[in-house]
Amino acid sequence: MRAIFLGPPGAGKGTQAKRARDLFSIPQLSTGDLLRQAVKEESELGLKAKGYMEAGHLVPDEMVIALIVERMQQPDCADGFILDGFPRTEAQAVALERELEERGTPIEAVINFRVDPERLVERLVGRRICPNGHGEYHVRFHPPRAEGRCDVCGAELVHRPDDHEDQIRTRMRAYDQDTAPLIAFYESRGVLHDIRADGDMDGIARRVESALKSVS
Ligand code: AMP
């Protein structure tokens, strides 16, 4: 199964991609996570990407394309993958299409997460993340048992630097300008599945699962 999870920031792509990863036993490739790791390690790529990310701007195409192409060559991607947060521009989508065409392994499904834009800022401003990968919380909608601490490991939860209102607005603009046109791009390829992504997580997960199963 080779799938793309497409949608605006805060639509819940990452959470649903992790569930689908476990269900289908294929890796979830998040360019956001890969870039944050590079920033943490202070690699050459990380140092270049940091400023763009903290301001809420997209990282330049050539950097992200090289990163994901390298990741897709790892052996754990042989049976497929879920792309979460990539592609985000038409140039990235075209580069991905070329790369996969050469390998004879095209994208089979693109899940488009449709959400009420009014809810997105509220979701992102209140989002808090476990630094050890135990998931996401929300100060109002899904608070941890002890304030500011992960329920699983007790680590101090992180408020991402780009989850503040100004940066969120910048990210939304980048989505509207650069990423939303990909809906039509993938519709024209006949692989788009539109999913209503408001409401409870289990209901959304069921809709995602049935769309993915319909092509696998
Ligand atoms: P995310 O975790 O998906 O919200 O991504 C966080 C940030 O990483 C974005 O706001 C961008 O700065 C950068 N980023 C992640 N994926 C991409 C991409 N496909 N193209 C350009 N920048 C990206």
Side-chain angles (χ1 to χ4, degrees):
M1 160 63 55
R2 288 171 302 277
I4 294 171
F5 282 16
L6 189 67
K13 300 184 297 293
T15 306
Q16 294 296 337
K18 287 188 182 70
R19 291 176 75 143
R21 168 196 71 188
D22 296 342
L23 192 68
F24 289 88
S25 304
I26 48 174
Q28 165 218 13
L29 311 185
S30 155
T31 38
D33 286 349
L34 292 170
L35 288 165
R36 275 184 291 278
Q37 186 62 28
V39 171
K40 205 163 144 191
E41 288 166 0
E42 300 186 339
S43 69
E44 200 184 326
L45 170 76
L47 294 174
K48 282 190 194 152
K50 190 170 189 251
Y52 294 102
M53 294 174 75
E54 288 187 350
H57 293 299
L58 292 182
V59 172
D61 286 333
E62 60 279 8
M63 287 165 63
V64 189
I65 291 167
L67 181 71
I68 202 78
V69 166
E70 194 195 319
R71 179 63 186 88
M72 286 190 313
Q73 280 159 355
Q74 307 290 317
D76 63 335
C77 294
D79 292 333
F81 45 75
I82 295 163
L83 290 172
D84 161 17
F86 182 92
R88 262 175 153 104
T89 66
E90 193 169 331
Q92 293 178 16
V94 169
L96 175 69
E97 194 168 62
R98 285 211 190 110
E99 176 70 26
L100 294 179
E101 236 165 51
E102 271 174 28
R103 302 184 196 183
T105 54
I107 290 293
E108 293 155 295
V110 177
I111 308 291
N112 180 41
F113 286 69
R114 224 169 359 92
V115 279
D116 172 4
E118 297 298 312
R119 306 279 314 268
L120 295 174
V121 177
E122 190 184 29
R123 279 199 201 174
L124 289 172
V125 170
R127 177 162 78 166
R128 301 291 182 271
I129 296 167
C130 169
N132 299 321
H134 294 125
E136 292 183 4
Y137 298 84
H138 189 282
V139 291
R140 267 186 51 212
F141 308 132
H142 176 38
R145 283 195 293 273
E147 197 183 324
R149 299 264 162 203
C150 174
D151 288 350
V152 180
C153 65
E156 194 174 339
L157 298 176
V158 175
H159 188 184
R160 267 171 53 173
D162 55 348
D163 276 349
H164 292 84
E165 192 151 346
D166 280 356
Q167 288 81 348
I168 292 169
R169 302 263 176 222
T170 306
R171 289 161 69 200
M172 297 296 178
R173 273 197 299 278
Y175 171 78
D176 288 339
Q177 267 175 27
D178 296 314
T179 311
L182 298 185
I183 298 172
F185 179 95
Y186 286 115
E187 200 158 29
S188 76
R189 304 308 195 255
V191 289
L192 192 79
H193 299 257
D194 227 23
I195 297 284
R196 196 164 37 79
D198 289 313
D200 82 296
M201 308 260 251
D202 292 342
I204 302 166
R206 276 195 298 276
R207 292 193 280 281
V208 171
E209 185 185 339
S210 79
L212 292 177
K213 284 199 168 145
S214 73
V215 298
S216 64

